[in-house]
Amino acid sequence: MINVLVADDELPAVEELAFLLGRDPRVGTIHRAMSGAAALALLAIHRVDAVFLDIHMPGLSGLELAEVIGRGSNPPVVVFVTADDDRALEAFELAAVDYLLKPLRTERLTRTVDRVVELVAHPSVAAEDVEMITVDQGGISRIIRLDEVKFVQAQGDYARLHTAEASYLIRVPLTDLELRWADSGFVRIHRSYLVCMAFVTALKLSAAKPTVSVGNAVLPVSRRHVPVLREHLQATRVRPAP
C-alpha cells in the first residue's frame, strides 16, 4: 500500500487523477494540493511514497518542486502528469520515475503505479536503471522509456518503436536492437518484428499461420522462431510442486 500526493493547479485534473489512483487497491491515502507551496506543506507533515506533479503550476512549478523534493534525505518517488509533451528530458534529469501525458489512460497509469510500488518496495532499484531512448517526432526530440516499448517493426534501415501512446521511427536496424535489448525481454519473432514478451497477451503457435498478440496488434511469427516462443511458454508455465 502506497500513500501519494497529487499536485495540479486545476481542480478537475486533481480530482480525476485522485479518482483513478483511488481505484487501484495498492494506493492508500491520497493527498491533494493545488500549488507547489501547498504540496511542500503537505509533504512536511505526511509520509508520502509518491508525488504526482503537473509541470505548470503558479509560483513553484512542478520541475522546481521536484528539484526541492530531491534534496531530501528520503524523498518520495516523483511522477510528472502533464499536457506538455516536450519536457520529458528535464523530468528524467530530475530522476522522475515516469512522465504521463494528459489525457490519462488507465492502462498507462497502472504501469506507472507498478513502477512506483516496485521502487518503494526495493529502494535500491534506481529509476535511472531503466534505459531511456531519444526519439525525434515532428522536429522535437522526446525521451521515452524502454519498458514502454511493446514491439518494434523493421522499416528498411530504420525501426519503428510502438508504445501504448504512439509510434516512433529511429535510425537503427532491427538486428542491432535484437542484440541490444535481449536482456530486457525482447524476442525476435519475425524478420520484421521484435516483441517485448511482457506485453504479449496471446500466442497461436500451432496454427497454419502462427501469430503473437500484443494488445490489439496481431503480429506474424516466422516458422523458424516458433521453437524459441515455445521454450518461453514452457519456462513460464505454472506447474504443481513436486
Side-chain angles (χ1 to χ4, degrees):
M1 188 74 71
I2 59 172
N3 298 323
V4 304
L5 168 64
V6 175
D8 195 307
D9 62 326
E10 297 183 359
L11 182 58
V14 171
E15 294 301 331
E16 178 191 16
L17 181 51
F19 171 75
L20 293 174
L21 288 169
R23 295 168 59 183
D24 193 313
R26 297 169 296 177
V27 177
T29 303
I30 302 174
H31 303 282
R32 297 165 173 81
M34 293 188 62
S35 70
L40 282 178
L42 286 169
L43 289 172
I45 58 177
H46 296 289
R47 184 188 67 80
V48 172
D49 300 300
V51 181
F52 289 75
L53 298 176
D54 183 27
I55 284 183
H56 300 290
M57 291 188 290
L60 197 65
S61 73
L63 291 171
E64 293 168 334
L65 177 56
E67 188 173 359
V68 173
I69 291 173
R71 295 174 190 156
S73 59
N74 187 28
V77 170
V78 172
V79 176
F80 285 101
V81 185
T82 178
D84 193 344
D85 62 356
D86 62 355
R87 306 296 292 274
L89 179 58
E90 296 169 81
F92 287 123
E93 285 177 346
L94 291 169
V97 170
D98 214 342
Y99 190 90
L100 300 176
L101 288 177
K102 301 174 182 177
L104 293 172
R105 295 164 52 97
T106 302
E107 174 191 354
R108 184 69 175 78
L109 181 60
T110 298
R111 296 207 307 274
T112 298
V113 175
D114 290 342
R115 294 168 185 158
V116 172
V117 170
E118 177 67 17
L119 284 172
V120 171
H122 305 285
S124 60
V125 180
E128 293 86 346
D129 290 342
V130 178
E131 182 176 345
M132 302 297 178
I133 307 163
T134 301
V135 297
D136 296 316
Q137 188 180 53
I140 299 175
S141 294
R142 308 183 189 280
I143 306 294
I144 63 173
R145 297 168 55 109
L146 176 58
D147 58 9
E148 294 177 3
V149 179
K150 292 186 172 185
F151 66 94
V152 187
Q153 182 179 9
Q155 295 190 341
D157 291 332
Y158 291 75
R160 182 168 294 279
L161 312 181
H162 292 262
T163 70
E165 284 75 32
S167 67
Y168 308 92
L169 197 63
I170 61 173
R171 194 170 184 176
V172 181
L174 194 67
T175 302
D176 289 0
L177 297 181
E178 178 185 6
L179 296 173
R180 179 173 174 178
W181 292 348
D183 292 339
S184 297
F186 285 82
V187 175
R188 189 72 171 263
I189 63 167
H190 188 274
R191 61 187 175 88
S192 298
Y193 291 100
L194 187 68
V195 301
C196 177
M197 294 304 296
F199 288 104
V200 171
T201 54
L203 298 94
K204 294 183 179 179
L205 303 181
S206 300
K209 294 182 178 180
T211 60
V212 161
S213 295
V214 181
N216 294 326
V218 180
L219 310 177
V221 177
S222 299
R223 284 294 178 185
R224 69 189 187 91
H225 291 108
V226 168
V228 174
L229 291 174
R230 289 192 188 281
E231 288 180 10
H232 179 82
L233 281 179
Q234 289 301 317
T236 56
R237 196 178 299 280
V238 177
R239 296 179 175 83

